[in-house]
Amino acid sequence: MIIKSINPYTEEVNGEIELYDSKKAVAMLKNASIAYEKWNKLDIKERSEYFYRLAKILRDNKRRYGETITKEMGKPITQAIAEIEKCAWCAEFYAEKAENWLKDEYVKMEAKKSFIAFQGIGVIFSIMPWNYPFWQVFRFAVPSLIAGNTTIVKVSNSVPFSGLAIEEAFEMAGFPENVFKIVLVTHDIAEGLIKKKEVRGVSFTGSSSAGKRIAKIATSHLKKVVLELGGSDPMIILKDADVKYSCENAVKGRTVSTGQSCIATKRIILAKELENSFTENFILLMKNLKIGDPMDPYVDIGPLANAEQVKLINAFLNDALGKGAILKTGGKRVGSKGFIFEPTVLTNIKRNMKLWKEEVFGPIAPIMIAKDENEAIKMANSSLYGLGASIWTKNEKLGEKLAREIEAGIVYINDYVKSDPRIPFGGVKESGFGRELSRYGLLEFTNIKSIVIK
């Protein structure tokens, strides 16, 4: 089967590539299993050295890799290059931390010696999306690999050349053969690989419906699985918040990666007292965003990833307008070529609208009004998702109290949500389970082994 990589700004074909058949994919899996036997036995310091080299390769090639991202999924080039930088940081971060985080933990017992060891478990199969073609892979792969596992990663078939560029970076860094490999296959073949005995764990990032299917297959074969399934992140702006500062960050949070981020600000929940001042400023800032060629370093909004995303955005918009939402700015596709959609602001949002509870993957910003902080929390928690959230207030004590009441895996106070190697990343409810990043993410795919000497 031949697939095409399409430039979402020009709609030109970046290139074509043939997907791997089942035989080749299974062979890659078996080779990864063989490679694990040696990789897992390396001292952690030895494994760490590979990641320092990987970080250098990424930085040396960040422009080229960034352009690959931009050509395949339309992310503005400055954000694409920043994504590569973040991957390099992640590699260095774990190279620095892994030895300490994976060292034996001694426990006082009646025995002569008791300790907990953290060991790799084998081949981890990962299925990753298109919206952060490099970062999604690195966020999973770096901690899994440095823990002693090997991995094969299925990237989205809309960004195959980004996936192969990642594989190239690992090869240039000198990683042993088959420790990290990209596999380009159909969804059916990917699901078949999960069932293979060589796979000891599965990491999936994508939609809730696909995640449930993946989890069912994995758990029916007793495979450990981590799911990151997106979100409908609320941004709660309390009446004492700095309007200018919160407005500027609301725009950044809503439009990062052209709104195609699982932790983008999806719902703005605004204190009634700020309804006019915030909304007016926010609309003005959204109107002033520069739209156009994502290769232009001054462009804020590039295209959506593909034509299907435009259809989905229009469906959310039409549903909201049909149920009484008020369009304040934007609301349409730009031009007849490319998949650019205007930054869009909606008010008069009601609970029966799809965008109240579901995930909108694009630059539509619904503004909801809450009469007080208690109603704001209820509105925030009314979503099916529970990935991230942010609270904006000058009262830090109140912000911390409310953060504990929000049903989410990560809450920022006075900043929009970001993933960071230093803290765990993951969600609750329809946003999945398990954690990536930090020490918690590092330990997800380890055998936490208790050893007791009498």
Side-chain angles (χ1 to χ4, degrees):
M1 178 181 175
I2 302 293
I3 59 169
K4 295 179 180 180
S5 168
I6 306 293
N7 185 317
Y9 180 67
T10 65
E11 296 190 52
E12 295 173 352
V13 177
N14 294 314
E16 298 182 354
I17 195 164
E18 185 172 1
L19 293 182
Y20 307 166
D21 60 20
S22 180
K23 184 178 179 180
K24 180 175 180 178
V26 171
M28 292 173 67
L29 186 57
K30 291 181 177 179
N31 288 336
S33 183
I34 294 169
Y36 164 76
E37 297 302 325
K38 288 185 178 180
W39 178 252
N40 188 52
K41 289 181 173 63
L42 288 180
D43 183 81
I44 297 172
K45 286 184 178 179
E46 291 183 75
R47 290 201 294 266
S48 296
E49 286 303 316
Y50 288 99
F51 291 91
Y52 283 120
R53 292 200 294 270
L54 179 60
K56 185 177 187 306
I57 294 298
L58 290 170
R59 290 200 174 98
D60 288 348
N61 294 276
K62 62 183 180 182
R63 178 72 197 190
R64 178 164 64 91
Y65 291 156
E67 288 180 355
T68 300
I69 291 173
T70 299
K71 289 175 183 177
E72 286 209 294
M73 58 76 60
K75 182 172 297 186
I77 187 64
T78 52
Q79 295 180 33
I81 292 173
E83 182 174 334
I84 304 301
E85 288 277 8
K86 190 171 185 177
C87 293
W89 172 39
C90 182
E92 288 177 337
F93 178 79
Y94 277 98
E96 294 168 1
K97 297 290 186 181
E99 183 180 12
N100 183 54
W101 282 351
L102 291 170
K103 70 182 180 181
D104 295 342
E105 290 185 10
Y106 288 86
V107 180
K108 288 185 178 181
M109 293 176 63
E110 294 78 11
K112 180 179 180 181
K113 186 178 183 181
S114 312
F115 62 96
I116 304 164
F118 305 94
Q119 300 174 318
I121 59 176
V123 181
I124 313 301
F125 179 42
S126 175
I127 302 174
M128 291 290 137
W130 49 261
N131 60 325
Y132 283 84
F134 270 66
W135 175 241
Q136 297 280 12
V137 173
F138 275 78
R139 194 171 74 190
F140 148 75
V142 170
S144 295
L145 290 169
I146 209 163
N149 302 299
T150 55
T151 186
I152 61 172
V153 179
K154 180 202 176 305
V155 294
S156 167
N157 288 338
S158 64
V159 290
F161 294 107
S162 294
L164 294 177
I166 297 171
E167 187 175 83
E168 174 200 83
F170 274 87
E171 290 172 354
M172 291 172 67
F175 277 76
E177 191 174 8
N178 299 312
V179 166
F180 175 93
K181 297 295 285 185
I182 294 292
V183 60
L184 302 174
V185 294
T186 64
H187 294 300
D188 289 342
I189 291 178
E191 291 182 5
L193 291 177
I194 296 171
K195 303 173 186 178
K196 298 296 181 182
K197 61 182 176 58
E198 290 84 1
V199 171
R200 299 298 299 274
V202 179
S203 178
F204 174 81
T205 298
S207 69
S208 294
S209 58
K212 290 173 183 177
R213 187 172 67 251
I214 296 298
K216 184 176 181 180
I217 297 170
T219 55
S220 69
H221 289 79
L222 299 180
K223 310 288 177 72
K224 174 69 180 289
V225 60
V226 170
L227 301 177
E228 197 272 277
L229 306 179
S232 183
D233 289 14
M235 178 180 188
I236 299 175
I237 305 172
L238 301 181
K239 62 184 179 181
D240 70 333
D242 184 311
V243 172
K244 182 177 182 294
Y245 179 69
S246 58
C247 263
E248 291 171 350
N249 283 277
V251 172
K252 293 177 183 177
R254 176 60 276 197
T255 61
V256 62
S257 196
T258 313
Q260 299 170 116
S261 170
C262 54
I263 50 172
T265 299
K266 306 284 182 21
R267 296 174 294 146
I268 297 172
I269 300 174
L270 184 63
K272 187 170 182 59
E273 292 84 351
L274 302 181
E275 182 174 3
N276 293 330
S277 59
F278 178 93
T279 302
E280 290 172 5
N281 277 278
F282 182 69
I283 291 169
L284 180 62
L285 290 175
M286 289 286 274
K287 283 182 176 180
N288 287 338
L289 290 173
K290 184 174 180 179
I291 303 170
D293 184 351
M295 284 295 182
D296 181 342
Y298 298 102
V299 158
D300 303 299
I301 298 290
L304 297 175
N306 50 54
E308 181 62 25
Q309 292 304 120
V310 176
K311 291 180 182 178
L312 290 173
I313 288 295
N314 270 317
F316 275 107
L317 180 61
N318 292 334
D319 173 78
L321 294 176
K323 294 173 181 175
I326 299 171
L327 178 65
K328 291 293 187 178
T329 187
K332 63 182 183 296
R333 180 178 174 178
V334 178
S336 58
K337 192 173 185 180
F339 308 126
I340 292 180
F341 199 91
E342 291 179 323
T344 299
V345 180
L346 297 173
T347 59
N348 197 37
I349 305 302
K350 300 174 182 176
R351 289 179 180 267
N352 63 342
M353 297 174 185
K354 287 184 178 181
L355 52 69
W356 181 285
K357 295 182 179 181
E358 298 181 27
E359 180 174 35
V360 183
F361 231 53
I364 293 182
I367 297 178
M368 308 167 179
I369 306 301
K371 63 182 180 182
D372 56 34
E373 63 199 44
N374 292 325
E375 184 177 51
I377 294 296
K378 289 180 181 178
M379 292 168 71
N381 291 340
S382 66
S383 170
L384 299 171
Y385 295 96
L387 185 56
S390 66
I391 299 171
W392 301 75
T393 176
K394 294 175 183 175
N395 186 336
E396 292 182 12
K397 187 175 181 180
L398 175 61
E400 184 175 333
K401 172 183 175 293
L402 297 180
R404 294 178 184 275
E405 297 177 14
I406 292 179
E407 297 169 350
I410 180 170
V411 181
Y412 273 71
I413 298 172
N414 296 327
D415 198 1
Y416 62 93
V417 181
K418 310 174 184 74
S419 57
D420 187 309
R422 296 167 293 188
I423 55 176
F425 184 83
V428 296
K429 303 194 292 188
E430 292 281 318
S431 289
F433 49 76
R435 291 294 181 266
E436 297 175 319
L437 301 176
S438 80
R439 186 171 188 249
Y440 295 96
L442 178 66
L443 299 182
E444 282 285 4
F445 291 111
T446 62
N447 177 12
I448 302 176
K449 182 186 291 183
S450 299
I451 299 176
V452 180
I453 303 173
K454 185 68 175 177

